[in-house]
DNA sequence: AATAAAACCAGCACGATTGCTTTTTTTATC
DNA sequence: GATAAAAAAAGCAATCGTGCTGGTTTTATT
């Protein structure tokens, strides 16, 4: 019984077998590695071909696996997509945590760190899935808790780094919304030449100043 | 000879037959209407099903036409997409022109007008195609001039409405970049619950103030 | 009214993708 | 080392989208 339920597969990981036995089996480790390889291959395909042309044969090829083996780990292509979406979220959150561990966190470095994240494949793949989720009910159901967790963790982290902002939560929320929507919008437009390269730096500088101005004294 | 070259079909319209004869033929009018119907159907499909599931049979059904008739007007599904992309651009520009014709143009009304545009199907369909264009060379080639024209016209219009901004083009460009990327980013995130509804109004108000502050005295 | 052209429709064949089943190979535990 | 289970591979049938071809109706012009 290798097949896993939709939800379990989506939330993936190695918990499955660990729950049954005390220590993780060697096979379980291998299985987890293969699943990870498939998810990584999916991400690469999403970036390279886009959602509409990311097919199961292409992913299997990219992962260096047979299609049969692939369907052994994920019952359907859709499950693979859902698991990928969850993994992409983990990646983004990990990146934030890493950025936060840097000694000097000022507004500028964090804005730049976020911007740098938006230029990486992780965000591109995430955007492909988010766009698809708009018209795909099952993907949307997976995306919803993902977005929630992302927002929560991001807020937590930000307020941890800048506790003085606790005084004025409304301005804090505004700052985060400004930062997220402006940078993500610019990142997306950039992907198809929708924004002039020379404008980017000016926008970043302006945003940094905006957030500083919003911060309580 | 009903088939049209890729470029001609993409730039579409009724010019084709008008160029051959003095006045537009009745058939040409009918043909143009049918093409328009197909393009409208494509837009609806893009909104309803997303790019990846927008197929030629679905479009034909939506347009109330046979697939054969459809391929009589557009050689391939891709040509239809390209023509749709061009038409979407026209729609967006028309909407701007309409907004500009309103008597009182202040910063606030224009920001709101743009925001209103981003909630309409036109923008959703445009985004679907823009996302697809990232990994589709032919779509990208169609999108490039479209983006260029949009930016140019938008700049022209804005500077026409607020000539005092001519004094400081750098701030003017910054304002436009801020407005476009922030609003579009928020509109896209909104499509998949990526932004809290209650934050939207605050962001809009803040953006309006930002642009006012950037305006030369 | 006749004829030609354009608009439209129905059906075909090919290729690709999908999910599943069956077989082989690898791995773990007795 | 034997055996059972998991992982991986190979093959199958069904479906779907695409582009095209042949034939029919409508429209325009003489």
């Amino acid at each position: 019984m290798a097949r896993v339920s939709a939800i379990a597969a989506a939330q993936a990981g190695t918990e499955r077998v660990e729950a049954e036995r005390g220590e993780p089996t060697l096979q379980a480790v291998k299985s987890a590695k293969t699943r990870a390889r498939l998810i990584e291959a999916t991400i690469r395909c999403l970036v390279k071909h886009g959602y509409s042309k990311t097919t199961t044969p292409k992913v299997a090829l990219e992962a260096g696996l047979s299609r049969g083996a692939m369907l052994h780990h994920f019952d359907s292509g859709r499950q693979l997509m859902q698991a990928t979406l969850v993994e992409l979220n983990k990646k983004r959150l990990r990146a934030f945590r890493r950025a936060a561990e840097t000694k000097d966190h000022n507004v500028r470095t964090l804005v730049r760190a976020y911007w740098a994240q938006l230029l990486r494949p992780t965000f591109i793949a995430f955007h492909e899935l988010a766009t698809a989720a708009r018209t795909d009910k099952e993907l949307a159901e997976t995306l919803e808790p993902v977005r929630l967790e992302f927002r929560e963790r991001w807020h937590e982290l930000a307020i941890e780094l800048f506790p003085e902002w606790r005084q004025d939560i409304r301005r804090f929320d505004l700052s985060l919304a400004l930062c997220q929507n402006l940078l993500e919008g610019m990142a997306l437009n950039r992907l198809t030449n929708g924004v002039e390269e020379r404008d980017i730096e000016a926008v970043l500088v302006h945003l940094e100043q905006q957030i500083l101005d919003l911060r309580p004294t």
Side-chain angles (χ1 to χ4, degrees), chain A residues 71-90:
Chain A
L71 260 71
H72 175 72
H73 291 280
F74 298 95
D75 280 16
S76 66
R78 170 163 287 155
Q79 266 194 27
L80 177 58
M81 286 296 174
Q82 293 175 321
T84 301
L85 190 46
V86 172
E87 178 60 31
L88 284 170
N89 192 45
K90 286 185 185 168

Side-chain angles (χ1 to χ4, degrees), chain A residues 25-40:
Chain A
T25 321
L26 283 191
Q27 273 187 339
V29 172
K30 186 183 181 186
S31 176
K33 274 190 181 177
T34 312
R35 271 207 301 278
R37 223 169 72 205
L38 281 167
I39 289 177
E40 292 301 319

Side-chain angles (χ1 to χ4, degrees), chain A residues 81-182:
Chain A
M81 286 296 174
Q82 293 175 321
T84 301
L85 190 46
V86 172
E87 178 60 31
L88 284 170
N89 192 45
K90 286 185 185 168
K91 275 179 184 289
R92 294 184 73 189
L93 288 173
R94 267 200 297 272
F96 273 117
R97 224 164 285 141
R98 244 182 291 130
E101 282 167 3
T102 314
K103 287 298 169 196
D104 56 332
H105 356 83
N106 52 50
V107 166
R108 185 175 184 280
T109 56
L110 279 203
V111 166
R112 298 290 167 159
Y114 193 15
W115 175 246
Q117 281 308 313
L118 298 181
L119 302 179
R120 307 202 65 232
T122 299
F123 176 70
I124 299 177
F126 182 85
H127 172 243
E128 289 284 335
L129 289 182
T131 300
R134 184 184 67 83
T135 50
D136 186 315
K137 204 186 165 196
E138 304 194 32
L139 259 185
E141 281 170 5
T142 306
L143 178 57
E144 198 192 329
V146 161
R147 289 222 111 130
L148 246 147
E149 190 192 356
F150 182 80
R151 196 155 32 197
E152 277 180 20
R153 291 263 181 284
W154 196 34
H155 276 238
E156 281 174 20
L157 197 65
I159 210 132
E160 184 184 320
L161 297 178
F162 307 104
E164 69 271 24
W165 237 319
R166 243 182 271 261
Q167 301 170 27
D168 194 340
I169 286 295
R170 295 188 49 119
R171 282 192 170 191
F172 176 69
D173 287 342
L174 177 59
S175 298
L176 290 188
L178 277 176
C179 183
Q180 184 180 357
N181 293 302
L182 178 56

Side-chain angles (χ1 to χ4, degrees), chain A residues 107 165 168 171-172 174-175 178 205-217:
Chain A
V107 166
W165 237 319
D168 194 340
R171 282 192 170 191
F172 176 69
L174 177 59
S175 298
L178 277 176
V205 170
H206 186 80
L207 174 65
E208 287 156 20
Q209 192 55 50
Q210 276 315 297
I211 298 179
L212 286 175
D213 290 349
L214 280 169
R215 193 161 58 160
T217 45

